[in-house]
Amino acid sequence: AGRMGQAIADSIAAADDLQLAGTWRRGDDLDLLLANSDVLLDFSLPEATDAVIAAAAEAGIPLVCGVSGLSDAQVASLEQAAATIPVVYDRNMSLGVAVLEKLVRQAAAALPGFAVEVHETHHVHKIDAPSGTALKHGEAIAVARGTDPADIHYKSERRGEVPGDHQIVLSSPTETLTLAHSVTTRQVFADGALAAARWVSDRPPGLFTMHDVLE
């Protein structure tokens, strides 16, 4: 998937324990690629994900999916595939974001009366807004409070080449708590994806996130 795919390919080339079996573009034979693969990494676009999920399940190959903007039906397809293959699905492969989500959940539960805003800034090429990571934090807050994710207020900004900045702001009339995470290079997502690939390669079937990889 463009720059992300290139970052992953470069990281695999630099790793002693990993080898790139090949890359797939729509129109190519995905089954042939999977015949020589141990793990499939998907960082394409939602339009390609259905074909990727089906092929991975058919081949019995572990899948790492980091595609943002999947529909509910596509997430359901991932869950279905996870009955037969191990799947790591996360809208953000950064280990720091996995920790941030845990902190956000703690803060939201501890400060139930505080208003919450989720702010995110990304590069001008990013199509979906709010970002998948922002929505992930909103869902974590809603779960922690037992409220509706639709009640979370999001602010999205698109500028320059920012790889990804997220802030969760909890405020009362008397104080404000801000939890923030900033990505300096897209490399962090490639590193997380490879950590997930190593981790998932010998797991039993199931649907996992970066929390599982982290722990």
Side-chain angles (χ1 to χ4, degrees), residues 72-154:
D72 291 345
Q74 288 175 312
V75 174
S77 293
L78 278 173
E79 290 169 353
Q80 201 174 347
T84 56
I85 59 170
V87 177
V88 175
Y89 167 58
D90 212 305
R91 289 165 287 187
N92 191 307
M93 291 283 152
S94 154
L95 297 175
V97 161
V99 174
L100 175 62
E101 189 185 335
K102 194 178 286 189
L103 297 174
V104 166
R105 203 174 278 145
Q106 281 181 305
L111 305 169
F114 280 51
V116 183
E117 282 192 346
V118 180
H119 301 187
E120 57 98 353
T121 304
H122 282 84
H123 52 85
V124 293
H125 315 287
K126 186 165 181 63
I127 301 165
D128 54 315
S131 68
T133 304
L135 293 170
K136 180 178 149 85
H137 290 314
E139 288 158 15
I141 293 160
V143 167
R145 289 184 165 180
T147 56
D148 189 332
D151 295 339
I152 308 292
H153 185 62
Y154 297 94

Side-chain angles (χ1 to χ4, degrees), residues 6-172:
Q6 191 57 55
I8 290 173
D10 291 346
S11 296
I12 291 172
D16 294 335
D17 60 332
L18 299 170
Q19 190 174 349
L20 184 63
T23 56
W24 177 72
R25 288 177 177 77
R26 275 182 294 173
D28 295 349
D29 188 338
L30 183 52
D31 295 333
L32 187 63
L33 173 63
L34 291 183
N36 302 306
S37 304
D38 296 319
V39 178
L40 176 60
L41 295 166
D42 180 20
F43 286 84
S44 58
L45 295 168
E47 295 79 40
T49 298
D50 291 333
V52 170
I53 296 169
E58 178 73 22
I61 298 282
L63 173 64
V64 175
C65 179
V67 179
S68 194
L70 294 186
S71 67
D72 291 345
Q74 288 175 312
V75 174
S77 293
L78 278 173
E79 290 169 353
Q80 201 174 347
T84 56
I85 59 170
V87 177
V88 175
Y89 167 58
D90 212 305
R91 289 165 287 187
N92 191 307
M93 291 283 152
S94 154
L95 297 175
V97 161
V99 174
L100 175 62
E101 189 185 335
K102 194 178 286 189
L103 297 174
V104 166
R105 203 174 278 145
Q106 281 181 305
L111 305 169
F114 280 51
V116 183
E117 282 192 346
V118 180
H119 301 187
E120 57 98 353
T121 304
H122 282 84
H123 52 85
V124 293
H125 315 287
K126 186 165 181 63
I127 301 165
D128 54 315
S131 68
T133 304
L135 293 170
K136 180 178 149 85
H137 290 314
E139 288 158 15
I141 293 160
V143 167
R145 289 184 165 180
T147 56
D148 189 332
D151 295 339
I152 308 292
H153 185 62
Y154 297 94
K155 285 187 178 175
S156 298
E157 189 180 345
R158 298 288 172 265
R159 60 179 163 83
E161 292 295 330
V162 179
D165 290 350
H166 292 89
Q167 285 189 335
I168 295 85
V169 182
L170 299 98
S171 57
S172 76

